[in-house]
Amino acid sequence: MNRMGDSVGDLSQATLHNNSLWWLACGLLALLANSWIILSITAKQQKHKPLELLLCFLAGTHILMATVPLTTYAVVQLRSESPDYDWNESICKVFVSTYYTLALATCFTVASLSYHRMWMVRWPVNYRLSNAKKQALHAVMGIWMVSFILSTLPSIGWHNNGERYYASGCQFIVSKIGLGFGVCFSLLLLGGIVMGLVCVGITFYQTLWAHRRHRCHHQRADEAASSCPTGAHNNFNVPAIVVEDVRGKRRSSLDGSESAKTSMQMTNLISAIVFLYDTLTGVPILPQT
């Protein structure tokens, strides 16, 4: 039985060692792709929208994930056959703190993207009057603060003292670190996933079904006014709604509005990001907690 256990352990170590080069290649690809996204958004000379800022922060989070914890783990696994190899306490603590900080930051940023898109589609006038760009920056600051504080606590003592996760190797699975940290991390991660899915569902409902019913209502109105002259109902007149912000500045509530095609493309993009994150990262982490 001991020989069988040793052979399974050697096989898992060999698998991790062989996959390390692929992890480094994927990390390099993620670094290039997300850098291109950031450059593409920041190269615009126009005023950046809150969703564009959140996309930049999400891409930056992916860059940090590829350059710090992924590279650290791959390099350590590649050095596992050398005589001086050792997962010392400092490296393990830095790896665990950065990995879970970036994991929570990614989850919350995706949820914030979904929330802002729902807010913009469901309450467009309120969204444009509420300084959404400033609120997006405040949300990012809060996301990183909460993620960093929670993920740093295991490194300063909030872990299982009976079997420390850095005592032999680096047991970075949440259940190996400690019960309290595992419960808090799981609840926050699950909350971010559920919030993202709920906001996407509301956005799709508002974009597809509500707009379809609104179009049917206008078609009925046009049919009722068919007896009027052609010039009276062929022109689409947008009501001149003027709103005033807290500083007394008056502007049209249609400033910054999107066309139907652009709105649908942005909704599809945010929805794809949410579903890809939940499928590939968010949900797979939960069973390990």
Side-chain angles (χ1 to χ4, degrees), residues 79-100:
R79 294 181 60 247
S80 60
E81 295 182 354
S82 61
D84 58 344
Y85 162 76
D86 187 17
W87 261 112
N88 59 52
E89 179 179 343
S90 299
I91 295 178
C92 183
K93 287 183 176 180
V94 170
F95 170 75
V96 168
S97 298
T98 54
Y99 174 76
Y100 285 108

Side-chain angles (χ1 to χ4, degrees), residues 23-268:
W23 294 342
L24 289 176
C26 292
L28 179 61
L29 180 62
L31 177 64
L32 295 176
N34 288 282
S35 299
W36 179 79
I37 292 173
I38 294 176
L39 291 176
S40 299
I41 295 176
T42 56
K44 294 175 57 179
Q45 299 298 326
Q46 301 175 356
K47 185 178 180 180
H48 297 294
K49 299 178 181 179
L51 287 178
E52 293 175 342
L53 294 177
L54 291 173
L55 285 174
C56 285
F57 281 112
L58 181 62
T61 305
H62 288 165
I63 290 175
L64 291 176
M65 178 68 80
T67 54
V68 182
L70 180 63
T71 303
T72 300
Y73 195 80
V75 170
V76 170
Q77 291 300 325
L78 288 173
R79 294 181 60 247
S80 60
E81 295 182 354
S82 61
D84 58 344
Y85 162 76
D86 187 17
W87 261 112
N88 59 52
E89 179 179 343
S90 299
I91 295 178
C92 183
K93 287 183 176 180
V94 170
F95 170 75
V96 168
S97 298
T98 54
Y99 174 76
Y100 285 108
T101 297
L102 294 171
L104 282 178
T106 303
C107 177
F108 292 157
T109 305
V110 170
S112 183
L113 267 171
S114 179
Y115 171 76
H116 270 263
R117 187 59 193 169
M118 178 201 69
W119 186 14
M120 183 176 183
V121 172
R122 184 65 181 85
W123 300 282
V125 177
N126 179 267
Y127 180 82
R128 298 182 188 108
L129 292 178
S130 301
N131 200 351
K133 183 177 179 180
K134 183 177 180 180
Q135 295 196 23
L137 293 176
H138 289 171
V140 170
M141 293 174 58
I143 285 170
W144 278 93
M145 186 180 301
V146 171
S147 302
F148 178 76
I149 292 175
L150 178 65
S151 302
T152 306
L153 291 177
S155 300
I156 59 177
W158 194 30
H159 55 258
N160 186 5
N161 294 321
E163 185 179 356
R164 302 177 189 272
Y165 66 94
Y166 51 80
S168 58
C170 187
Q171 305 294 329
F172 63 92
I173 304 299
V174 176
S175 58
K176 300 288 185 180
I177 296 176
L179 179 61
F181 174 75
V183 171
C184 290
F185 178 83
S186 301
L187 290 177
L188 289 175
L189 189 70
L190 182 61
I193 293 173
V194 172
M195 177 181 173
L197 292 175
V198 170
C199 291
V200 164
I202 296 175
T203 303
F204 261 112
Y205 172 79
Q206 184 67 23
T207 303
L208 297 177
W209 301 109
H211 284 185
R212 182 174 300 177
R213 291 186 303 182
H214 187 67
R215 192 182 303 115
C216 293
H217 175 73
H218 278 285
Q219 288 178 354
R220 295 192 189 99
D222 292 339
E223 292 175 357
S226 59
S227 59
C228 298
T230 56
H233 64 272
N234 283 342
N235 295 328
F236 180 72
N237 297 321
V238 179
I241 303 174
V242 178
V243 293
E244 184 174 306
D245 58 13
V246 293
R247 297 181 180 179
K249 184 178 179 181
R250 296 168 62 87
R251 64 177 184 269
S252 171
S253 64
L254 297 177
D255 290 343
S257 60
E258 298 175 333
S259 63
K261 181 179 179 181
T262 303
S263 178
M264 196 63 197
Q265 289 176 348
M266 286 299 299
T267 299
N268 291 336

